[in-house]
Amino acid sequence: MACPGGTEQVPGTGHVDDVVGSGAPRASDATRTSDGAVRDESVPDDPLVIRDAATGAAVPDAFQRLWNPHRMAYIDAGREGRGRGHDDDCPFCEAPHKSDEDALIVARGEHAYVLLNLFPYNNGHLLVCPYRHVPLYDEATPDELREMGELTQTAMRVLRDVSHCDGFNIGMNQGEVAGAGVAGHLHQHIVPRWQSDSNFFPIIARTKSMSQLLGDTRRLVADGWPSGH
């Protein structure tokens, strides 16, 4: 059965039989081994070619893989609901009960507080959170919104003063479907940006170089925070 592009489909499976270049032999030129794999004698072995999509789970491809089995703890926690809308296991509910140093808190207000992101995009990546466990912006009280706004303004001024940043990304992800890591507790991101921070490293290597420890960043921002704000 022919597919667009001239490839062949394995009957009854809906899978492409050969994934090769446009000049590759068709499936009629190939032979199937006893284990069901397709072998084409006329094409040299190429580790980047998927020769049998029907049984391709272990077929080599062009991707490199970084094995992180410890991440299953985070994935399983999400499946079981821990940290996903339950205030008895919410990091933003727990943080105010710890010391500023342990929780990476830089400022505390009456209705909201500011802390460092544990997995920052840039040095000085801050989060502004209400103390109350509320998930969405339109569920926050006027007092919470007012203080979150005031803390955001102060954070911008402090970051500009202590880190000499050139701009900011400020925003909120509302709900898991929108990318909120802790969807059950409202939090606003403040990410300082510099003219030179988008280089080849994050763009090509998909890796961010962090030049300052979180504890050092917290002290720098906390020391620069004006009293009474």
Side-chain angles (χ1 to χ4, degrees):
M1 179 179 178
C3 294
T7 59
E8 291 287 333
Q9 220 174 29
V10 179
T13 66
H15 291 286
V16 175
D17 195 51
D18 242 358
V19 181
V20 289
S22 58
R26 300 168 68 87
S28 57
D29 301 325
T31 60
R32 188 174 291 279
T33 62
S34 59
D35 61 0
V38 173
R39 183 178 300 281
D40 195 328
E41 303 283 344
S42 63
V43 180
D45 288 336
D46 186 342
L48 301 185
V49 173
I50 302 175
R51 297 199 176 281
D52 189 359
T55 58
V59 175
D61 55 33
F63 287 96
Q64 299 185 55
R65 289 164 174 80
L66 178 63
W67 298 103
N68 290 302
H70 60 276
R71 291 283 295 167
M72 282 304 298
Y74 175 81
I75 295 171
D76 287 340
R79 290 172 180 161
E80 297 170 14
R82 298 197 306 274
R84 304 289 184 174
H86 298 268
D87 53 3
D88 58 347
D89 193 34
C90 172
F92 299 139
C93 287
E94 295 175 359
H97 300 290
K98 301 178 181 179
S99 68
D100 288 355
E101 291 77 11
D102 289 340
L104 298 175
I105 292 175
V106 300
R108 298 176 186 251
E110 182 181 356
H111 304 283
Y113 69 100
V114 184
L115 77 168
L116 262 67
N117 191 330
L118 190 59
F119 302 101
Y121 178 78
N122 262 348
N123 291 317
H125 183 167
L126 299 178
L127 302 174
V128 183
C129 307
Y131 293 112
R132 195 166 61 97
H133 188 79
V134 56
L136 301 174
Y137 186 78
D138 60 351
E139 296 179 12
T141 67
D143 285 337
E144 288 169 337
L145 295 178
R146 173 189 54 76
E147 190 165 55
M148 287 180 67
E150 293 173 352
L151 290 172
T152 297
Q153 287 186 319
T154 302
M156 292 174 64
R157 296 174 184 132
V158 172
L159 287 170
R160 192 182 293 117
D161 182 54
V162 302
S163 67
H164 309 290
C165 55
D166 302 307
F168 301 91
N169 289 119
I170 297 176
M172 302 179 184
N173 299 322
Q174 301 283 283
E176 287 189 19
V177 70
V182 182
H185 198 126
L186 181 66
H187 56 283
Q188 177 170 275
H189 295 262
I190 305 174
V191 183
R193 302 299 302 268
W194 292 266
Q195 293 288 350
S196 59
D197 66 11
S198 293
N199 53 37
F200 78 96
F201 210 42
I203 296 172
I204 303 300
R206 303 297 297 171
T207 302
K208 191 69 181 181
S209 177
M210 307 304 296
S211 59
Q212 194 172 49
L213 294 174
L214 289 173
D216 294 339
T217 303
R218 193 211 71 80
R219 283 190 294 273
L220 185 68
V221 177
D223 290 347
W225 201 273
S227 58
H229 289 74

